[in-house]
Amino acid sequence: NGPTPVRRMDRALAGPGATVALAARLAAAARPGDLILLAGELGAGKTHFARAFLAARADAPLEVPSPSFTLVQIYDLPGASVAHVDLYRIRDLAELAELGLDDAFESMIVLVEWPDRLGPALPADRLEIAFDFAAAPEERCVRLEGHGAWAARLAEALA
C-alpha cells in the first residue's frame, strides 16, 4: 500500500452565496461514512458552510443551531444521516471518546468544526476544508484537500 492520494484545490469565494454553492456541490457528492473537516478562525465561515451543506442535503430550508454547546447535532436526511460536530470546547482526547464519534464515522456523513481537536488519528479518507479571510469583508479563501477516496471525488464534485 503506497501513500494515501491527496488532491489540493484552492478557491476564492466572493461572498456568502459562493459558500452556499460550494456546500451544495459537496453535499451532492458526500456519502455515508464521509468525514468532512472544517477548519478556520472564528467567523471564517465554517458554520455557514455546515448550514448550507445540511440545507442542500435536506433539499429544503433547515434550522441548524450551532452545536457549540451540544457538541453533536444529528440530522436524519434523505440518503444519509449527517452529524454536525463542533469540537471548540473539547480540551483533550479523552473527552472525544464520550461523544461516540467512531460509530458516526462509519455510518453517517460527519461535518467537524475545529478538527484539530481530533488529534493525529484521522481516517485516510477525508475531505479537509480550511476557511480563511480575504481582502474584502464578505470574501473568503478556501483550501480543499481530498485525502484517499476524496482525492478523486473532489475534482468530480467541483468540475
Side-chain angles (χ1 to χ4, degrees), residues 55-157:
R57 286 297 298 201
D59 197 25
L62 193 63
E63 186 171 328
V64 179
S66 173
S68 294
F69 293 100
T70 58
L71 302 183
V72 179
Q73 294 280 106
I74 296 177
Y75 300 86
D76 292 319
L77 301 175
S81 291
V82 180
H84 181 197
V85 182
D86 186 328
L87 300 179
Y88 183 72
R89 297 184 321 124
I90 295 293
R91 295 294 167 235
D92 66 53
L93 292 176
E95 295 176 74
L96 285 176
E98 298 173 21
L99 296 179
L101 292 178
D102 290 341
D103 292 336
F105 287 161
E106 293 177 16
S107 61
M108 298 180 187
I109 297 168
V110 181
L111 303 173
V112 179
E113 295 187 47
W114 303 99
D116 57 307
R117 311 299 205 271
L118 287 172
L122 292 174
D125 295 328
R126 65 187 184 277
L127 175 58
E128 298 179 8
I129 306 173
F131 294 84
D132 202 357
F133 295 98
E138 295 288 309
E139 293 177 3
R140 297 293 183 267
C141 298
V142 292
R143 184 187 70 242
L144 301 106
E145 281 189 11
H147 295 256
W150 265 106
R153 288 171 50 210
L154 179 59
E156 293 168 13

Side-chain angles (χ1 to χ4, degrees), residues 2-3 31 152:
R31 304 174 185 152

Side-chain angles (χ1 to χ4, degrees), residues 14-46:
T19 301
V20 169
L22 175 66
R25 293 184 85 143
L26 295 173
R31 304 174 185 152
D34 280 348
L35 175 61
I36 301 173
L37 306 175
L38 307 174
E41 295 178 41
L42 283 170
K46 299 178 300 294

Side-chain angles (χ1 to χ4, degrees), residues 9-21:
M9 302 174 94
D10 294 303
R11 291 279 191 269
L13 302 176
T19 301
V20 169

